[in-house]
Amino acid sequence: MPEFAFATSPTGLEPALKLDVARQRPELRFAYSRPGLVTWKAPGPVRDDDAPGSVFAHVWGRSIGAARDAEAARQLIAPLGAAHVHVFARDPETNAELAPWTEFDAGAPVNRPARDGDVVADVIVGAPGEPVWIGAHRHDPSRPAHPGGAIPVDVPPAAPSRAYAKLEEAIAWARLPVASGQVALEIGAAPGGAALALASRGLDVWAVDPGELAPHVAALSNVHHLAVKVGALRWEQLPARIDWLILDVNLAPQVALHEVARLMPRLRAQLRGAILTLKLNDWAFVGELPAFVERIREMGLPDVRLRHLPSNRREICAVALR
Ligand SMILES: C[S@@+](CC[C@H](N)C(=O)[O-])C[C@H]1O[C@@H](n2cnc3c(N)ncnc32)[C@H](O)[C@@H]1O
């Protein structure tokens, strides 16, 4: 019996996922895809703990097969030895009906966060009338513990942009020691979602952007707006100690990283790490991810991890630590 690997990712991201897997896992052969779900044929057995073949995979694991009804699903899940069943929509646009699948008895708790080492049975629900897709993966600390790779964060109504969620997801996923009293420099800070998140955590935020911050963010005593482009930023404008560098500019990754590299001699001595959003306006940038990682390492941040976060769109989050 041939074995298959599967990945889920937000719809529209499949080209990036396929390109990345073709580069990182050339032994896998693309087999099947639906919006939000891709499978590959493997030359041999696929283990539950198979390392994700792409940073664009929100869930990665062993593909088990399709099930038309609860009984068929139960039969596929039973041999997996799963400690958890994660039920989630393949594509949020399809009005997937999750209820029948969250209520059926698959022999393990449904939609609880996985613990390290647990085998999770993934039940991927498509459009009404479509069979569900069953997969399995073993949870480890590098993977989000919630169904579908979700990273739950509380976003307050006052958040002026999606960047609030992006920042909180990055901190939660990478377990970053971001703490009150630290100092953050954010390049590309308007309208101020990430700045609000950091300021709410008690950080002092230096927000660089020629654009306006939302008035209620600009009014915070621990947010300091520097209304210039990063290229015009002078070192004398910055505080002596910066703990975290945040980058979220709509510039090509090479250009954005060039600007960061220019600042690094000033930041390096004190910096704990960086949260960088790299925009992938051209899918060709997917092939350049290893070069971007190398570039970040050369800046003195050797521990670089990439992940497409739930609130990322055509972009990828790089977390880099000293
Ligand atoms: C995706 S938005 C940033 C969202 C922001 N991080 C937040 O939390 O709301 C991108 C921002 O990059 C800014 N930007 C573009 N080029 C820039 C540059 N050269 N220097 C600084 N900011 C720049 C834009 O003005 C825009 O506000």
Side-chain angles (χ1 to χ4, degrees), residues 8-308:
T8 64
S9 77
T11 51
L13 211 70
E14 298 88 352
L17 179 64
K18 289 183 193 170
L19 278 170
D20 206 28
V21 171
R23 178 175 61 79
Q24 296 204 72
R25 298 287 296 274
E27 81 280 13
L28 297 177
R29 290 277 164 266
F30 166 69
Y32 166 85
S33 119
R34 301 278 294 143
L37 172 69
V38 182
T39 70
W40 293 264
K41 188 173 172 186
V46 178
R47 294 162 48 115
D48 297 335
D49 61 355
D50 191 41
S54 170
V55 293
F56 296 99
H58 286 212
V59 181
W60 178 275
R62 179 158 68 98
S63 179
I64 309 293
R68 282 233 157 256
D69 53 38
E71 186 46 38
R74 242 190 307 271
Q75 284 182 18
L76 290 179
I77 291 172
L80 301 177
H84 292 275
V85 177
H86 281 179
V87 178
F88 55 95
R90 168 174 64 69
D91 171 2
E93 301 283 298
T94 60
N95 298 322
E97 291 167 4
L98 300 186
W101 302 99
T102 51
E103 284 156 16
F104 88 117
D105 178 13
V110 175
N111 284 359
R112 302 232 192 102
R115 288 157 311 178
D116 294 348
D118 285 347
V119 172
V120 177
D122 294 293
V123 178
I124 305 157
V125 185
E130 201 182 290
V132 292
W133 201 265
I134 311 285
H137 73 272
R138 190 176 293 274
H139 183 66
D140 65 56
S142 73
R143 307 179 192 231
H146 291 266
I151 304 174
V153 296
D154 286 331
V155 179
S161 67
R162 177 170 58 89
Y164 187 107
K166 291 197 297 193
L167 185 95
E168 287 295 330
E169 287 168 0
I171 292 172
W173 157 61
R175 303 178 195 190
L176 298 178
V178 172
S180 180
Q182 295 174 342
V183 181
L185 169 65
E186 188 185 10
I187 312 293
L196 177 63
L198 292 164
S200 305
R201 284 175 170 267
L203 282 81
D204 221 27
V205 185
W206 294 78
V208 178
D209 200 308
E212 292 289 322
L213 295 184
H216 64 287
V217 178
L220 296 170
S221 61
N222 55 343
V223 173
H224 317 279
H225 185 198
L226 299 172
V228 293
K229 286 190 172 185
V230 59
L233 184 66
R234 285 175 293 106
W235 291 358
E236 308 84 73
Q237 293 176 281
L238 298 176
R241 191 191 94 215
I242 289 169
D243 299 285
W244 297 100
L245 172 68
I246 320 298
L247 173 87
D248 190 15
V249 278
N250 35 25
L251 296 173
Q254 295 90 333
V255 181
L257 291 176
H258 176 76
E259 296 291 358
V260 171
R262 188 182 71 83
L263 296 172
M264 279 312 280
R266 169 74 171 72
L267 304 181
R268 200 163 12 224
Q270 308 279 349
L271 201 66
R272 291 165 194 267
I275 304 172
L276 313 171
T277 301
L278 303 178
K279 306 286 176 181
L280 304 174
N281 296 337
D282 185 336
W283 287 140
F285 291 151
V286 172
E288 311 230 7
L289 289 176
F292 298 154
V293 167
E294 200 42 45
R295 190 88 216 276
I296 298 167
R297 289 201 176 115
E298 284 166 5
M299 292 179 202
L301 298 170
D303 176 6
V304 185
R305 279 169 282 166
L306 299 178
R307 184 169 186 90
H308 189 270

